[in-house]
Amino acid sequence: MRLSILATAVFLSVAAPVAAQTPPPLPVPAAAPADVATPEAIVAALYDVISGDAGVARDWDRFRALFHPTARLMPSGLNAQGVGVVRSVTPDGYITLAEPVLVGQGFHEREIARRSERFGRIVHVWTTYESLHSLSDDQPFARGINSIQLFHDGSRWWILSVYWQGESPAEPIPADYLPAAG
């Protein structure tokens, strides 16, 4: 009993200063009900909204509507020294960083395999993707795995986080995360 009280006190003493420094989240646009009805629908909407040919504007309000107000997107990889790094950005931060590339070069990301686990209101989705500049490309220019955490608030699904890593020769995608042969 004393241990749990101590653990709670420590958590609150650490969390309170962090919470006090966190700016209030921006308002989220209303989501299309079909986009947030199921875990499968919200992941499909995410892939759909970031994909498009060069010069085609993305529907960033639709993108924002998928994410919980506290959500983060976290690309990971290696820096120039070969050290693993991760960056955490808000959905608006992602838009600022990604829009010039997505619209300028064309970008289509599509799911090629998925694994999900669910407990109550939370779902963890491992979704393997491939990226193309145009749907007519013969081969993807990149592949990787998105780790997506979802939350259901009683009315709809929300994306809490998207954490991803691209495939590399040193770290190929494991067979368990690729489409079944056949």
Side-chain angles (χ1 to χ4, degrees), residues 112-116 126-128 143 145 172-181:
I112 60 171
R114 175 189 299 209
R115 297 171 63 170
S116 297
W126 293 95
T127 172
T128 306
R143 297 189 327 169
I145 297 178
I173 296 173
D176 289 351
Y177 292 88
L178 291 171

Side-chain angles (χ1 to χ4, degrees), residues 13-181:
S13 69
V14 171
V18 172
Q21 297 170 9
T22 304
L26 298 172
V28 176
D35 282 351
V36 296
T38 66
E40 295 77 17
I42 199 168
V43 171
L46 175 64
Y47 279 119
D48 184 53
V49 77
I50 63 172
S51 295
D53 291 328
V56 175
R58 305 310 192 262
D59 183 348
W60 293 121
D61 278 343
R62 181 183 181 206
F63 177 82
R64 288 179 186 98
L66 303 175
F67 290 88
H68 189 272
T70 62
R72 294 292 181 267
L73 293 99
M74 299 163 288
S76 65
L78 300 175
N79 66 14
Q81 293 74 38
V83 176
V85 294
V86 66
R87 181 177 192 173
S88 176
V89 297
T90 65
D92 281 317
Y94 175 84
I95 293 166
T96 299
L97 293 169
E99 183 175 35
V101 176
L102 299 182
V103 175
Q105 298 178 10
F107 180 82
H108 292 269
E109 188 167 272
R110 59 185 176 198
E111 181 177 71
I112 60 171
R114 175 189 299 209
R115 297 171 63 170
S116 297
E117 295 179 2
R118 181 176 181 167
F119 173 72
R121 296 178 182 272
I122 64 173
V123 173
H124 184 187
V125 181
W126 293 95
T127 172
T128 306
Y129 65 85
E130 62 182 15
S131 303
L132 305 115
H133 292 294
S134 169
L135 291 176
S136 63
D137 292 350
D138 290 334
Q139 295 292 318
F141 68 86
R143 297 189 327 169
I145 297 178
N146 289 317
S147 169
I148 303 175
Q149 288 68 48
L150 304 174
F151 165 70
H152 196 277
D153 67 2
S155 298
R156 58 158 289 181
W157 286 98
W158 295 91
I159 297 173
L160 291 179
S161 66
V162 181
Y163 175 43
W164 70 94
Q165 178 177 323
E167 179 179 45
S168 70
E171 293 181 297
I173 296 173
D176 289 351
Y177 292 88
L178 291 171

